[in-house]
mmCIF file of all heavy atoms in Angstrom:
data_model
loop_
_atom_site.group_PDB
_atom_site.id
_atom_site.type_symbol
_atom_site.label_atom_id
_atom_site.label_comp_id
_atom_site.label_asym_id
_atom_site.label_seq_id
_atom_site.Cartn_x
_atom_site.Cartn_y
_atom_site.Cartn_z
ATOM 1 N N SER A 1 0.818 -1.217 0.001
ATOM 2 C CA SER A 1 -0.004 0.007 -0.001
ATOM 3 C C SER A 1 0.844 1.266 -0.001
ATOM 4 O O SER A 1 0.301 2.367 0.060
ATOM 5 C CB SER A 1 -0.957 0.003 1.195
ATOM 6 O OG SER A 1 -0.220 -0.017 2.396
ATOM 7 N N GLY A 2 2.168 1.113 -0.044
ATOM 8 C CA GLY A 2 3.051 2.274 -0.153
ATOM 9 C C GLY A 2 3.717 2.713 1.116
ATOM 10 O O GLY A 2 4.451 3.716 1.120
ATOM 11 N N GLY A 3 3.508 2.014 2.228
ATOM 12 C CA GLY A 3 4.203 2.344 3.456
ATOM 13 C C GLY A 3 5.682 2.033 3.308
ATOM 14 O O GLY A 3 6.051 1.009 2.736
ATOM 15 N N ILE A 4 6.520 2.918 3.796
ATOM 16 C CA ILE A 4 7.964 2.735 3.645
ATOM 17 C C ILE A 4 8.659 3.046 4.971
ATOM 18 O O ILE A 4 8.250 3.932 5.707
ATOM 19 C CB ILE A 4 8.527 3.620 2.521
ATOM 20 C CG1 ILE A 4 9.974 3.292 2.227
ATOM 21 C CG2 ILE A 4 8.331 5.095 2.803
ATOM 22 C CD1 ILE A 4 10.502 3.908 0.954
ATOM 23 N N ILE A 5 9.699 2.253 5.256
ATOM 24 C CA ILE A 5 10.476 2.475 6.467
ATOM 25 C C ILE A 5 11.874 2.906 6.046
ATOM 26 O O ILE A 5 12.393 2.459 5.019
ATOM 27 C CB ILE A 5 10.474 1.215 7.363
ATOM 28 C CG1 ILE A 5 10.764 1.592 8.796
ATOM 29 C CG2 ILE A 5 11.440 0.185 6.876
ATOM 30 C CD1 ILE A 5 10.219 0.622 9.810
ATOM 31 N N SER A 6 12.469 3.805 6.819
ATOM 32 C CA SER A 6 13.795 4.318 6.492
ATOM 33 C C SER A 6 14.846 3.235 6.697
ATOM 34 O O SER A 6 14.580 2.170 7.240
ATOM 35 C CB SER A 6 14.109 5.526 7.378
ATOM 36 O OG SER A 6 14.200 5.139 8.747
ATOM 37 N N CYS A 7 16.050 3.558 6.299
ATOM 38 C CA CYS A 7 17.152 2.597 6.467
ATOM 39 C C CYS A 7 17.414 2.376 7.947
ATOM 40 O O CYS A 7 17.048 3.191 8.791
ATOM 41 C CB CYS A 7 18.411 3.104 5.762
ATOM 42 S SG CYS A 7 19.046 4.623 6.461
ATOM 43 N N ASP A 8 18.011 1.243 8.264
ATOM 44 C CA ASP A 8 18.315 0.868 9.642
ATOM 45 C C ASP A 8 19.421 1.754 10.173
ATOM 46 O O ASP A 8 20.541 1.707 9.678
ATOM 47 C CB ASP A 8 18.724 -0.608 9.683
ATOM 48 C CG ASP A 8 18.869 -1.134 11.094
ATOM 49 O OD1 ASP A 8 18.464 -0.429 12.046
ATOM 50 O OD2 ASP A 8 19.372 -2.250 11.243
ATOM 51 N N ASN A 9 19.119 2.578 11.150
ATOM 52 C CA ASN A 9 20.112 3.451 11.742
ATOM 53 C C ASN A 9 20.654 2.776 12.993
ATOM 54 O O ASN A 9 20.174 2.996 14.093
ATOM 55 C CB ASN A 9 19.478 4.811 12.066
ATOM 56 C CG ASN A 9 20.511 5.863 12.347
ATOM 57 O OD1 ASN A 9 21.632 5.570 12.709
ATOM 58 N ND2 ASN A 9 20.112 7.115 12.158
ATOM 59 N N ALA A 10 21.631 1.919 12.814
ATOM 60 C CA ALA A 10 22.175 1.128 13.910
ATOM 61 C C ALA A 10 23.335 1.856 14.577
ATOM 62 O O ALA A 10 24.138 2.509 13.931
ATOM 63 C CB ALA A 10 22.651 -0.223 13.384
ATOM 64 N N TRP A 11 23.405 1.735 15.876
ATOM 65 C CA TRP A 11 24.507 2.252 16.679
ATOM 66 C C TRP A 11 24.626 3.775 16.604
ATOM 67 O O TRP A 11 25.715 4.316 16.528
ATOM 68 C CB TRP A 11 25.816 1.579 16.312
ATOM 69 C CG TRP A 11 25.679 0.095 16.275
ATOM 70 C CD1 TRP A 11 25.710 -0.694 15.176
ATOM 71 C CD2 TRP A 11 25.404 -0.781 17.365
ATOM 72 N NE1 TRP A 11 25.494 -2.001 15.512
ATOM 73 C CE2 TRP A 11 25.312 -2.096 16.865
ATOM 74 C CE3 TRP A 11 25.238 -0.588 18.727
ATOM 75 C CZ2 TRP A 11 25.053 -3.170 17.682
ATOM 76 C CZ3 TRP A 11 24.976 -1.684 19.539
ATOM 77 C CH2 TRP A 11 24.893 -2.956 19.004
ATOM 78 N N GLY A 12 23.503 4.435 16.635
ATOM 79 C CA GLY A 12 23.518 5.893 16.630
ATOM 80 C C GLY A 12 22.366 6.431 17.461
ATOM 81 O O GLY A 12 21.900 5.792 18.393
ATOM 82 N N TYR A 13 21.893 7.593 17.087
ATOM 83 C CA TYR A 13 20.802 8.244 17.774
ATOM 84 C C TYR A 13 19.490 8.199 16.998
ATOM 85 O O TYR A 13 18.501 8.773 17.388
ATOM 86 C CB TYR A 13 21.139 9.719 18.045
ATOM 87 C CG TYR A 13 22.285 9.908 18.993
ATOM 88 C CD1 TYR A 13 23.569 10.135 18.530
ATOM 89 C CD2 TYR A 13 22.068 9.884 20.359
ATOM 90 C CE1 TYR A 13 24.621 10.331 19.414
ATOM 91 C CE2 TYR A 13 23.110 10.074 21.242
ATOM 92 C CZ TYR A 13 24.395 10.302 20.771
ATOM 93 O OH TYR A 13 25.417 10.490 21.635
ATOM 94 N N GLY A 14 19.481 7.531 15.856
ATOM 95 C CA GLY A 14 18.306 7.532 15.005
ATOM 96 C C GLY A 14 18.398 8.698 14.030
ATOM 97 O O GLY A 14 19.484 9.221 13.825
ATOM 98 N N PRO A 15 17.326 9.098 13.447
ATOM 99 C CA PRO A 15 15.987 8.568 13.601
ATOM 100 C C PRO A 15 15.734 7.373 12.680
ATOM 101 O O PRO A 15 16.494 7.115 11.755
ATOM 102 C CB PRO A 15 15.087 9.732 13.184
ATOM 103 C CG PRO A 15 15.886 10.424 12.124
ATOM 104 C CD PRO A 15 17.324 10.280 12.566
ATOM 105 N N GLU A 16 14.685 6.655 12.985
ATOM 106 C CA GLU A 16 14.104 5.698 12.055
ATOM 107 C C GLU A 16 12.665 6.144 11.850
ATOM 108 O O GLU A 16 12.011 6.581 12.802
ATOM 109 C CB GLU A 16 14.185 4.269 12.590
ATOM 110 C CG GLU A 16 15.617 3.784 12.624
ATOM 111 C CD GLU A 16 15.765 2.298 12.859
ATOM 112 O OE1 GLU A 16 14.754 1.549 12.796
ATOM 113 O OE2 GLU A 16 16.903 1.868 13.103
ATOM 114 N N GLU A 17 12.186 6.044 10.606
ATOM 115 C CA GLU A 17 10.870 6.582 10.284
ATOM 116 C C GLU A 17 10.058 5.620 9.416
ATOM 117 O O GLU A 17 10.628 4.904 8.588
ATOM 118 C CB GLU A 17 10.994 7.908 9.525
ATOM 119 C CG GLU A 17 11.619 9.003 10.312
ATOM 120 C CD GLU A 17 11.658 10.297 9.542
ATOM 121 O OE1 GLU A 17 11.800 10.287 8.307
ATOM 122 O OE2 GLU A 17 11.567 11.346 10.186
ATOM 123 N N TYR A 18 8.759 5.687 9.601
ATOM 124 C CA TYR A 18 7.799 5.018 8.735
ATOM 125 C C TYR A 18 6.906 6.129 8.193
ATOM 126 O O TYR A 18 6.487 7.028 8.938
ATOM 127 C CB TYR A 18 6.958 4.021 9.536
ATOM 128 C CG TYR A 18 5.699 3.560 8.802
ATOM 129 C CD1 TYR A 18 5.746 2.478 7.946
ATOM 130 C CD2 TYR A 18 4.498 4.222 8.974
ATOM 131 C CE1 TYR A 18 4.614 2.045 7.280
ATOM 132 C CE2 TYR A 18 3.358 3.802 8.311
ATOM 133 C CZ TYR A 18 3.422 2.714 7.461
ATOM 134 O OH TYR A 18 2.289 2.312 6.809
ATOM 135 N N MET A 19 6.640 6.072 6.878
ATOM 136 C CA MET A 19 5.730 7.043 6.268
ATOM 137 C C MET A 19 4.838 6.332 5.267
ATOM 138 O O MET A 19 5.240 5.353 4.636
ATOM 139 C CB MET A 19 6.517 8.136 5.550
ATOM 140 C CG MET A 19 7.237 9.078 6.468
ATOM 141 S SD MET A 19 7.923 10.519 5.645
ATOM 142 C CE MET A 19 9.312 9.800 4.784
ATOM 143 N N ILE A 20 3.628 6.867 5.134
ATOM 144 C CA ILE A 20 2.717 6.379 4.106
ATOM 145 C C ILE A 20 1.944 7.594 3.570
ATOM 146 O O ILE A 20 1.409 8.401 4.346
ATOM 147 C CB ILE A 20 1.775 5.266 4.630
ATOM 148 C CG1 ILE A 20 0.970 4.673 3.485
ATOM 149 C CG2 ILE A 20 0.925 5.742 5.775
ATOM 150 C CD1 ILE A 20 0.307 3.342 3.823
ATOM 151 N N ARG A 21 1.954 7.720 2.257
ATOM 152 C CA ARG A 21 1.304 8.876 1.622
ATOM 153 C C ARG A 21 -0.210 8.837 1.775
ATOM 154 O O ARG A 21 -0.826 9.822 2.146
ATOM 155 C CB ARG A 21 1.684 8.934 0.141
ATOM 156 C CG ARG A 21 1.141 10.175 -0.566
ATOM 157 C CD ARG A 21 1.632 10.293 -1.980
ATOM 158 N NE ARG A 21 3.066 10.368 -2.065
ATOM 159 C CZ ARG A 21 3.779 11.504 -2.024
ATOM 160 N NH1 ARG A 21 3.154 12.642 -1.911
ATOM 161 N NH2 ARG A 21 5.069 11.486 -2.122
ATOM 162 N N VAL A 22 -0.823 7.677 1.506
ATOM 163 C CA VAL A 22 -2.280 7.522 1.641
ATOM 164 C C VAL A 22 -2.529 6.358 2.598
ATOM 165 O O VAL A 22 -2.424 5.191 2.218
ATOM 166 C CB VAL A 22 -2.947 7.255 0.272
ATOM 167 C CG1 VAL A 22 -4.453 7.096 0.442
ATOM 168 C CG2 VAL A 22 -2.624 8.370 -0.723
ATOM 169 N N ALA A 23 -2.838 6.696 3.834
ATOM 170 C CA ALA A 23 -3.039 5.670 4.851
ATOM 171 C C ALA A 23 -4.389 4.967 4.649
ATOM 172 O O ALA A 23 -5.384 5.611 4.362
ATOM 173 C CB ALA A 23 -2.998 6.299 6.238
ATOM 174 N N GLN A 24 -4.369 3.669 4.772
ATOM 175 C CA GLN A 24 -5.587 2.882 4.684
ATOM 176 C C GLN A 24 -6.342 2.988 6.005
ATOM 177 O O GLN A 24 -5.733 3.132 7.071
ATOM 178 C CB GLN A 24 -5.245 1.409 4.386
ATOM 179 C CG GLN A 24 -4.454 1.218 3.115
ATOM 180 C CD GLN A 24 -5.167 1.755 1.903
ATOM 181 O OE1 GLN A 24 -6.322 1.429 1.656
ATOM 182 N NE2 GLN A 24 -4.511 2.614 1.132
ATOM 183 N N PRO A 25 -7.671 2.915 5.969
ATOM 184 C CA PRO A 25 -8.426 2.971 7.234
ATOM 185 C C PRO A 25 -8.143 1.743 8.087
ATOM 186 O O PRO A 25 -7.886 0.659 7.566
ATOM 187 C CB PRO A 25 -9.889 3.008 6.784
ATOM 188 C CG PRO A 25 -9.907 2.678 5.336
ATOM 189 C CD PRO A 25 -8.531 2.803 4.809
ATOM 190 N N GLY A 26 -8.173 1.941 9.385
ATOM 191 C CA GLY A 26 -7.958 0.847 10.309
ATOM 192 C C GLY A 26 -6.851 1.160 11.299
ATOM 193 O O GLY A 26 -6.340 2.277 11.372
ATOM 194 N N GLN A 27 -6.486 0.159 12.074
ATOM 195 C CA GLN A 27 -5.466 0.323 13.098
ATOM 196 C C GLN A 27 -4.083 0.005 12.586
ATOM 197 O O GLN A 27 -3.880 -0.976 11.872
ATOM 198 C CB GLN A 27 -5.762 -0.561 14.302
ATOM 199 C CG GLN A 27 -6.976 -0.119 15.091
ATOM 200 C CD GLN A 27 -7.108 -0.895 16.375
ATOM 201 O OE1 GLN A 27 -6.758 -2.068 16.449
ATOM 202 N NE2 GLN A 27 -7.623 -0.238 17.393
ATOM 203 N N TYR A 28 -3.138 0.819 12.989
ATOM 204 C CA TYR A 28 -1.721 0.611 12.719
ATOM 205 C C TYR A 28 -1.069 0.287 14.051
ATOM 206 O O TYR A 28 -1.334 0.953 15.054
ATOM 207 C CB TYR A 28 -1.078 1.861 12.127
ATOM 208 C CG TYR A 28 -1.483 2.127 10.696
ATOM 209 C CD1 TYR A 28 -2.737 2.638 10.389
ATOM 210 C CD2 TYR A 28 -0.603 1.852 9.668
ATOM 211 C CE1 TYR A 28 -3.106 2.865 9.079
ATOM 212 C CE2 TYR A 28 -0.966 2.088 8.342
ATOM 213 C CZ TYR A 28 -2.212 2.588 8.066
ATOM 214 O OH TYR A 28 -2.586 2.807 6.763
ATOM 215 N N LYS A 29 -0.228 -0.722 14.059
ATOM 216 C CA LYS A 29 0.464 -1.119 15.289
ATOM 217 C C LYS A 29 1.947 -0.773 15.131
ATOM 218 O O LYS A 29 2.597 -1.233 14.179
ATOM 219 C CB LYS A 29 0.294 -2.616 15.532
ATOM 220 C CG LYS A 29 0.995 -3.130 16.781
ATOM 221 C CD LYS A 29 0.750 -4.609 16.945
ATOM 222 C CE LYS A 29 1.479 -5.162 18.135
ATOM 223 N NZ LYS A 29 1.283 -6.610 18.251
ATOM 224 N N MET A 30 2.468 0.023 16.031
ATOM 225 C CA MET A 30 3.871 0.397 16.009
ATOM 226 C C MET A 30 4.600 -0.335 17.125
ATOM 227 O O MET A 30 4.131 -0.383 18.265
ATOM 228 C CB MET A 30 4.016 1.914 16.238
ATOM 229 C CG MET A 30 5.456 2.367 16.199
ATOM 230 S SD MET A 30 5.674 4.050 16.765
ATOM 231 C CE MET A 30 5.804 3.796 18.502
ATOM 232 N N GLN A 31 5.747 -0.928 16.779
ATOM 233 C CA GLN A 31 6.569 -1.608 17.769
ATOM 234 C C GLN A 31 8.008 -1.123 17.641
ATOM 235 O O GLN A 31 8.478 -0.856 16.547
ATOM 236 C CB GLN A 31 6.522 -3.117 17.572
ATOM 237 C CG GLN A 31 5.148 -3.711 17.786
ATOM 238 C CD GLN A 31 5.117 -5.171 17.422
ATOM 239 O OE1 GLN A 31 5.067 -5.501 16.236
ATOM 240 N NE2 GLN A 31 5.160 -6.037 18.405
ATOM 241 N N VAL A 32 8.674 -1.039 18.779
ATOM 242 C CA VAL A 32 10.079 -0.678 18.805
ATOM 243 C C VAL A 32 10.806 -1.791 19.536
ATOM 244 O O VAL A 32 10.438 -2.164 20.657
ATOM 245 C CB VAL A 32 10.316 0.668 19.513
ATOM 246 C CG1 VAL A 32 11.796 0.997 19.573
ATOM 247 C CG2 VAL A 32 9.555 1.784 18.820
ATOM 248 N N GLN A 33 11.839 -2.310 18.902
ATOM 249 C CA GLN A 33 12.604 -3.402 19.484
ATOM 250 C C GLN A 33 14.018 -2.910 19.837
ATOM 251 O O GLN A 33 14.695 -2.310 19.003
ATOM 252 C CB GLN A 33 12.719 -4.578 18.539
ATOM 253 C CG GLN A 33 13.542 -5.717 19.090
ATOM 254 C CD GLN A 33 13.661 -6.875 18.130
ATOM 255 O OE1 GLN A 33 13.197 -6.823 17.004
ATOM 256 N NE2 GLN A 33 14.291 -7.935 18.581
ATOM 257 N N PHE A 34 14.429 -3.155 21.069
ATOM 258 C CA PHE A 34 15.807 -2.887 21.482
ATOM 259 C C PHE A 34 16.676 -4.012 20.955
ATOM 260 O O PHE A 34 16.483 -5.171 21.317
ATOM 261 C CB PHE A 34 15.906 -2.796 23.012
ATOM 262 C CG PHE A 34 17.312 -2.680 23.505
ATOM 263 C CD1 PHE A 34 17.988 -1.477 23.401
ATOM 264 C CD2 PHE A 34 17.942 -3.758 24.067
ATOM 265 C CE1 PHE A 34 19.294 -1.372 23.857
ATOM 266 C CE2 PHE A 34 19.240 -3.654 24.536
ATOM 267 C CZ PHE A 34 19.921 -2.460 24.423
ATOM 268 N N VAL A 35 17.617 -3.694 20.089
ATOM 269 C CA VAL A 35 18.486 -4.705 19.496
ATOM 270 C C VAL A 35 19.752 -4.863 20.313
ATOM 271 O O VAL A 35 20.226 -5.969 20.545
ATOM 272 C CB VAL A 35 18.799 -4.363 18.019
ATOM 273 C CG1 VAL A 35 19.742 -5.384 17.428
ATOM 274 C CG2 VAL A 35 17.512 -4.254 17.213
#
């Protein structure tokens, strides 16, 4: 549906981003994992 996540910013301060130009209706679940 066009959602995109930025490159993996490992061993820094970030950022990491998810963006979608036209969001589909419904729930989005965001998770953050400590690697």
Side-chain angles (χ1 to χ4, degrees):
S1 61
I4 188 168
I5 204 155
S6 65
C7 64
D8 188 10
N9 195 337
W11 311 110
Y13 294 97
E16 291 192 11
E17 296 182 327
Y18 165 88
M19 290 190 287
I20 187 165
R21 185 174 301 270
V22 180
Q24 302 302 308
Q27 290 189 327
Y28 287 76
K29 179 180 177 182
M30 181 191 86
Q31 295 174 283
V32 178
Q33 179 181 4
F34 173 76
V35 178

